[in-house]
Amino acid sequence: MTIDPKKVLRLNLPQWQGGDHPDYRIGARVLAAIAPEPLGPEETVAVPEAHDDVRPADQGIVSRQPLLDLAAAAMSAIRRHSPDAVVTLGGDCLVNLAPVAYLNERYGDDLAVLWVDAHPDVMGAGQFRNAHAHVLAMLMGIGDPDFVAAVPKPVQARQILYVGLTETTPFETDFIAKHGLARLSPEDLAGSAEPVLDWLRAAGAKKVAVHFDLDVLDPTLYDFLLLQDPAAKPNTYEGVAKGRMRFEEVARILTAVDAEADVVGLAIAEYMPWSAIQLSKSLQTLPLLGKR
Amino acid sequence: MTIDPKKVLRLNLPQWQGGDHPDYRIGARVLAAIAPEPLGPEETVAVPEAHDDVRPADQGIVSRQPLLDLAAAAMSAIRRHSPDAVVTLGGDCLVNLAPVAYLNERYGDDLAVLWVDAHPDVMGAGQFRNAHAHVLAMLMGIGDPDFVAAVPKPVQARQILYVGLTETTPFETDFIAKHGLARLSPEDLAGSAEPVLDWLRAAGAKKVAVHFDLDVLDPTLYDFLLLQDPAAKPNTYEGVAKGRMRFEEVARILTAVDAEADVVGLAIAEYMPWSAIQLSKSLQTLPLLGKR
């Protein structure tokens, strides 16, 4: 990589509304605390805590207006620095809307987008009310018009590669086929970076934005995934595709990519450190720390 | 409680040297991230990462001079605000040296100290090289003279009550008996606050400083305790007394204490969120986040 660390913006975005789960906010704060300290500028977008237990959908999307506001705030924070690269610490998957939109505007056809995720994130309001599952479609210019308007230059299908994608629903499978999105399952990769490098060479892109949804990881090996929510009702995540990768495999692929091109975007999303989330709530029951 | 939240200092002290385990620093950063946001002033004492793998003892104490420097920095940070109360987020147990020293100077005989801990923290350099196990003795004016000098007014034995203390070593048992320190085991408490309130009424103190070492908790119920270190050599913690309390029991006792008196100090120490600590190290292997 040839990116100057001082030109990398660290963007902390503890957004929970896109997954409609207030605990994403705690997870994002923990992620910002455990990440290596930034060498360049840092911006933290203020995200309010949840105040209501019932959050209705507007035009099919829960917390639609707050999410539009947060996307605008994130884009403003990025533009203040005109960074060469952005590290985004979420929060739900929708945190990567403004960063990839910015990077695609900046690097255009020279940019590839690696979507490292068990899920394709191409649903719309007709399929799912939580917009964290819409983000890649929005980046392609498809979906809710106000979110799409937040992406000045849509990402083209040929710029996108799924890494670690698992089983898709019929809607998702059709979307992927219709747009010709390239996909590599964990088994296609088989622990190797070569299939990704082959795609990257064919695409000819020299800059790479990485979306790393932690749910691409195998839940039998990691304890910080959404579907392990101890408060979820039984069967909440039944039928939802589960990741099958190890962190080390993802890191090896991304390191190989960074040797071949410049990684200019890295978003880490969907971190749910349940033990810390539980302790966070317990701390509120202590004198001097409790809600007053 | 009658403490004005705006007069409560939040003191973040990611000190790892007292336990000679660099991961305390990560734990302290996570604890600061998950704690309810402070309504009063906040100070974060800068603590460098570990640079050497071998850290020899000086006068029987590992990292002796850095720990003296951190205690002085913590005391300066506290005095800048003259707070009515201090919430200290560690780090190892020695983080509570300056806060209790300050509170005892401020409140004197009106202060009681509840030491909520599986261990008594009264060893000296002759018994153990890690000073986190010395902190209560130092607060009493016993131990390394330079640390003792950092405590302007020593805490008297009659001001101290152990809460949740388990099996003690012969040295510790003798120390406790010699000084007449009061102790309540988890079984003495049996989930009730009454034995603590009885002691508090007899002591007559109206202000209370709480030391909450998380190792007072039952390791079969919580996954963030030192002795669960996945990198520890086998049998490292064999023979070390283990906590037997639940968080809810501790919270219930402290809430009852706060109804009877003013809790003016709360230190939380020895938090080791192993899953987050592991991820913290994994993040360093990613492009844009790795060490450069």
Side-chain angles (χ1 to χ4, degrees):
Chain A
M1 67 106 81
T2 57
I3 301 297
D4 177 356
K6 294 203 163 39
K7 294 285 283 172
V8 179
L9 174 66
R10 177 72 58 89
L11 179 67
N12 303 314
L13 184 41
Q15 176 179 292
W16 56 269
Q17 292 92 339
D20 195 35
H21 198 317
D23 290 343
Y24 281 114
R25 186 173 184 275
I26 305 171
R29 290 172 60 89
V30 174
L31 193 59
I34 65 175
E37 287 159 58
L39 302 176
E42 181 167 17
E43 290 269 358
T44 299
V45 176
V47 179
E49 292 184 46
H51 291 298
D52 301 304
D53 283 345
V54 179
R55 295 172 288 265
D58 168 21
Q59 300 173 48
I61 293 177
V62 177
S63 297
R64 184 176 177 280
Q65 191 56 51
L67 287 168
L68 287 166
D69 295 344
L70 287 169
M75 187 59 103
S76 296
I78 297 169
R79 290 204 201 282
R80 267 197 289 284
H81 300 276
S82 297
D84 288 347
V86 184
V87 171
T88 307
L89 302 181
D92 68 71
C93 270
L94 191 61
V95 298
N96 209 9
L97 187 72
V100 172
Y102 166 82
L103 292 168
N104 197 47
E105 198 180 31
R106 185 176 182 97
Y107 295 112
D109 288 344
D110 212 22
L111 186 77
V113 177
L114 299 188
W115 207 262
V116 185
D117 200 324
H119 310 112
D121 294 354
V122 292
M123 290 199 264
Q127 287 73 45
F128 196 52
R129 51 195 255 128
N130 293 343
H132 65 158
H134 307 178
V135 55
L136 187 56
M138 288 167 171
L139 283 165
M140 294 171 68
I142 300 164
D144 184 290
D146 287 343
F147 284 94
V148 165
V151 182
K153 179 181 165 69
V155 178
Q156 304 300 311
R158 61 180 155 70
Q159 294 176 264
I160 299 167
L161 173 66
Y162 285 117
V163 176
L165 187 63
T166 58
E167 295 71 37
T168 45
T169 66
F171 172 86
E172 294 165 340
T173 306
D174 288 351
F175 185 104
I176 290 168
K178 176 179 164 197
H179 294 280
L181 294 166
R183 62 190 286 178
L184 293 169
S185 71
E187 292 69 31
D188 293 332
L189 294 159
S192 164
E194 280 308 315
V196 178
L197 297 181
D198 288 346
W199 178 87
L200 195 62
R201 287 170 195 140
K206 288 294 170 201
K207 308 289 181 188
V208 178
V210 175
H211 179 81
F212 186 177
D213 181 333
L214 292 173
D215 78 8
V216 79
L217 300 176
D218 181 341
T220 68
L221 301 173
Y222 304 91
D223 62 3
F224 46 69
L225 304 175
L226 174 63
L227 58 84
Q228 293 154 331
D229 185 354
K233 295 192 185 79
N235 308 323
T236 300
Y237 298 105
E238 201 172 81
V240 174
K242 292 172 183 55
R244 294 195 290 272
M245 295 189 74
R246 303 179 74 100
F247 195 101
E248 294 72 16
E249 288 177 76
V250 175
R252 198 179 322 121
I253 290 168
L254 298 184
T255 300
V257 165
D258 200 37
E260 186 85 15
D262 288 334
V263 172
V264 293
L266 174 65
I268 302 178
E270 305 274 325
Y271 180 49
M272 285 294 209
W274 295 113
S275 168
I277 289 167
Q278 180 54 53
L279 183 61
S280 177
K281 294 171 187 182
S282 296
L283 291 175
Q284 296 183 5
T285 66
L286 297 181
L288 295 180
L289 282 176
K291 301 268 178 187
R292 285 162 290 236
Chain B
M1 68 106 82
T2 56
I3 301 297
D4 177 356
K6 294 202 163 37
K7 294 285 285 172
V8 179
L9 173 66
R10 177 72 56 89
L11 179 67
N12 303 315
L13 184 41
Q15 175 179 292
W16 56 269
Q17 294 91 339
D20 196 35
H21 198 318
D23 290 343
Y24 281 115
R25 186 173 184 275
I26 305 171
R29 290 173 60 91
V30 174
L31 193 59
I34 65 174
E37 288 159 57
L39 302 176
E42 181 167 19
E43 290 268 358
T44 299
V45 176
V47 179
E49 293 185 46
H51 291 298
D52 301 303
D53 283 345
V54 179
R55 296 172 287 264
D58 168 22
Q59 300 174 49
I61 293 177
V62 177
S63 298
R64 185 176 177 280
Q65 192 57 51
L67 286 168
L68 286 166
D69 294 344
L70 287 169
M75 187 59 104
S76 295
I78 298 169
R79 289 203 202 282
R80 268 197 289 283
H81 300 275
S82 296
D84 288 348
V86 184
V87 171
T88 307
L89 302 181
D92 67 72
C93 270
L94 190 62
V95 298
N96 208 9
L97 187 72
V100 173
Y102 166 82
L103 292 168
N104 198 46
E105 197 179 31
R106 184 176 181 100
Y107 294 113
D109 288 344
D110 212 23
L111 186 77
V113 176
L114 300 189
W115 207 262
V116 185
D117 199 325
H119 309 112
D121 294 353
V122 293
M123 289 199 264
Q127 287 72 46
F128 196 50
R129 51 195 257 130
N130 293 343
H132 66 158
H134 306 179
V135 55
L136 187 56
M138 289 167 171
L139 283 165
M140 295 171 67
I142 300 164
D144 184 289
D146 288 342
F147 284 94
V148 165
V151 182
K153 179 180 163 71
V155 178
Q156 304 300 310
R158 61 181 154 68
Q159 294 176 264
I160 299 166
L161 174 66
Y162 285 116
V163 175
L165 188 63
T166 57
E167 294 70 37
T168 45
T169 65
F171 172 86
E172 294 165 340
T173 306
D174 288 352
F175 185 104
I176 290 168
K178 178 180 163 196
H179 294 280
L181 294 166
R183 62 191 286 177
L184 292 169
S185 71
E187 292 70 30
D188 293 333
L189 294 159
S192 164
E194 280 308 314
V196 177
L197 298 181
D198 288 345
W199 178 88
L200 195 61
R201 288 169 195 140
K206 289 292 168 202
K207 308 289 181 188
V208 178
V210 175
H211 179 82
F212 186 176
D213 181 333
L214 293 172
D215 79 8
V216 78
L217 300 175
D218 181 341
T220 68
L221 301 174
Y222 304 91
D223 62 4
F224 47 68
L225 305 174
L226 175 63
L227 57 84
Q228 292 154 331
D229 185 354
K233 295 193 186 77
N235 308 323
T236 300
Y237 298 104
E238 200 172 82
V240 174
K242 293 171 182 56
R244 296 194 289 270
M245 294 189 75
R246 303 179 74 100
F247 195 101
E248 294 73 16
E249 288 176 77
V250 174
R252 197 180 322 123
I253 291 168
L254 299 184
T255 301
V257 165
D258 200 37
E260 185 86 15
D262 288 335
V263 172
V264 293
L266 174 64
I268 302 178
E270 306 273 326
Y271 180 47
M272 286 295 208
W274 295 112
S275 168
I277 288 166
Q278 180 55 52
L279 183 62
S280 177
K281 294 171 187 182
S282 296
L283 291 175
Q284 296 182 6
T285 65
L286 297 181
L288 295 181
L289 282 175
K291 301 270 178 186
R292 285 162 291 237

